């Protein structure tokens, strides 16, 4: 028997559930530049009256643009936002951002690590780590652990690391995460490695800190069009990914977080 859904009532129910989970909470989200998943997330939850939204990103003007958009919406105009400059490709700057956050008087109820880069030519972070692994995983790993005291001080701490079905493209290459200094680099293997890192980080957090009340999650956000994630990638890049998908017999759309 087919089931018919009332889209309006379903959306209303979802909004009600969301409000009960968000109202009064302090939420820190990375990667909130306009037109990205992180921005959409904070703009949505802002309508359900969190106590504070901490918006973290590399570009101050872009992060501020998202904060301004939240303030311009009557449904979220009274929600406090706070901008934190966070460059996940620089461990020196990550530590500075963490010091900034630790100075806040509020505890942090929810951390959503949404920032990410995908594919592209071989490059390294400021610290010499392959850029996707260094930014998508290592940067978030360091930042989150540095502010852990703020998170664990919450009554119901939550950490969400945005991953992807793309994790199936590669495990973590523990013996050679830098692809022999780029000599054996494959952009999709590198992306898969970083997304596997997000999942293992979540699992490790749950195992090691679950007894302290922490709940950690990792997710595949689905197929996403129109974000800035795939900027600079061409048809050949996606053809290469399609070939890899076929070989692995997985379903992993190219425009995924």
């Amino acid at each position: 028997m087919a089931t018919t859904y009332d889209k309006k009532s379903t959306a209303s129910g979802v909004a009600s559930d969301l409000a009960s989970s968000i109202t009064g909470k302090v939420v820190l989200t990375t990667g909130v530049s306009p037109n990205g998943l992180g921005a959409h997330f904070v703009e949505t939850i802002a309508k359900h009256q969190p106590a504070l939204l901490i918006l973290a990103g590399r570009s101050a003007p872009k992060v501020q643009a998202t904060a301004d958009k939240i303030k311009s919406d009557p449904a979220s105009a009274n929600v406090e936002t706070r901008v934190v400059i966070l460059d996940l490709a620089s461990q020196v700057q990550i530590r500075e951002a963490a010091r900034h956050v630790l100075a806040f008087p509020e505890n942090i109820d929810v951390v959503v690590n949404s920032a990410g880069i995908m594919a592209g030519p071989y490059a390294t972070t400021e610290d010499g780590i392959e850029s996707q692994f260094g930014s998508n995983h290592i940067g978030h790993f360091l930042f989150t652990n540095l502010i852990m005291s703020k998170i664990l001080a919450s009554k119901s701490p939550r950490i969400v690391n945005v991953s992807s079905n793309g994790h199936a493209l590669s495990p973590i290459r523990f013996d050679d995460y830098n692809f022999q200094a780029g000599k054996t680099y494959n952009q999709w293997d590198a992306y898969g490695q970083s997304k596997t890192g997000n999942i293992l980080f979540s699992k490790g957090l749950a195992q090691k800190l679950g007894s302290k009340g922490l709940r950690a999650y990792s997710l595949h956000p689905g197929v996403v069009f129109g974000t800035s994630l795939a900027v600079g990638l061409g048809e050949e890049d996606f053809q290469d990914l399609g070939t890899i998908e076929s070989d692995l017999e997985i379903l992993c759309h190219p425009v995924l977080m």
Side-chain angles (χ1 to χ4, degrees), residues 200-219:
L200 294 180
F201 182 31
S202 299
K203 185 174 182 179
L205 286 170
Q207 290 177 334
K208 295 177 184 299
L209 297 175
S211 62
K212 296 187 177 183
L214 177 68
R215 296 294 178 265
Y217 307 91
S218 192
L219 60 90

Side-chain angles (χ1 to χ4, degrees), residues 107-108 147-155 157 209 212-214:
N107 297 324
I108 299 172
I147 63 170
M148 190 60 71
S149 61
K150 281 283 186 187
I151 301 167
L152 294 180
S154 167
K155 293 180 179 179
L209 297 175
K212 296 187 177 183
L214 177 68

Side-chain angles (χ1 to χ4, degrees), residues 123-239:
T124 61
T125 67
E126 189 176 281
D127 306 283
I129 303 170
E130 188 279 317
S131 59
Q132 294 183 78
F133 189 56
S135 297
N136 295 354
H137 170 53
I138 298 296
H140 279 128
F141 179 93
L142 177 60
F143 179 67
T144 303
N145 277 289
L146 287 171
I147 63 170
M148 190 60 71
S149 61
K150 281 283 186 187
I151 301 167
L152 294 180
S154 167
K155 293 180 179 179
S156 57
R158 300 289 184 267
I159 296 174
V160 179
N161 294 307
V162 178
S163 183
S164 167
N165 269 358
H167 74 86
L169 296 169
S170 177
I172 293 182
R173 300 159 51 95
F174 289 103
D175 294 331
D176 184 26
Y177 56 82
N178 264 9
F179 297 88
Q180 295 183 31
K183 293 176 183 178
T184 60
Y185 176 72
N186 177 282
Q187 61 184 345
W188 297 116
D189 287 349
Y191 180 68
Q193 172 177 239
S194 73
K195 295 291 103 180
T196 297
N198 296 148
I199 295 171
L200 294 180
F201 182 31
S202 299
K203 185 174 182 179
L205 286 170
Q207 290 177 334
K208 295 177 184 299
L209 297 175
S211 62
K212 296 187 177 183
L214 177 68
R215 296 294 178 265
Y217 307 91
S218 192
L219 60 90
H220 165 61
V223 179
V224 182
F225 296 96
T227 74
S228 58
L229 186 64
V231 170
L233 299 182
E235 186 175 344
E236 288 187 6
D237 296 300
F238 294 138
Q239 287 175 346

Side-chain angles (χ1 to χ4, degrees), residues 49-65:
Q49 304 306 304
L52 169 65
L53 291 178
I54 302 172
L55 310 178
R58 180 175 57 185
S59 168
K62 289 182 178 180
V63 177
Q64 187 60 52

Side-chain angles (χ1 to χ4, degrees), residues 33-140:
S33 295
N35 301 316
L37 284 179
H40 179 72
F41 170 72
V42 295
E43 289 161 13
T44 299
I45 67 170
K47 299 172 184 177
H48 303 290
Q49 304 306 304
L52 169 65
L53 291 178
I54 302 172
L55 310 178
R58 180 175 57 185
S59 168
K62 289 182 178 180
V63 177
Q64 187 60 52
T66 297
D68 292 343
K69 187 173 181 180
I70 290 170
K71 289 294 184 182
S72 69
D73 187 333
S76 55
N78 64 332
V79 172
E80 182 182 356
T81 60
R82 201 170 295 163
V83 171
V84 172
I85 304 307
L86 174 65
D87 183 354
L88 292 165
S90 167
Q91 292 186 19
V92 169
Q93 204 284 317
I94 290 169
R95 292 179 185 279
E96 177 58 32
R99 284 192 289 270
H100 185 45
V101 171
L102 290 171
F104 293 163
E106 302 89 354
N107 297 324
I108 299 172
D109 299 300
V110 183
V111 171
V112 179
N113 288 320
S114 180
I117 58 176
M118 185 176 76
Y122 180 78
T124 61
T125 67
E126 189 176 281
D127 306 283
I129 303 170
E130 188 279 317
S131 59
Q132 294 183 78
F133 189 56
S135 297
N136 295 354
H137 170 53
I138 298 296
H140 279 128

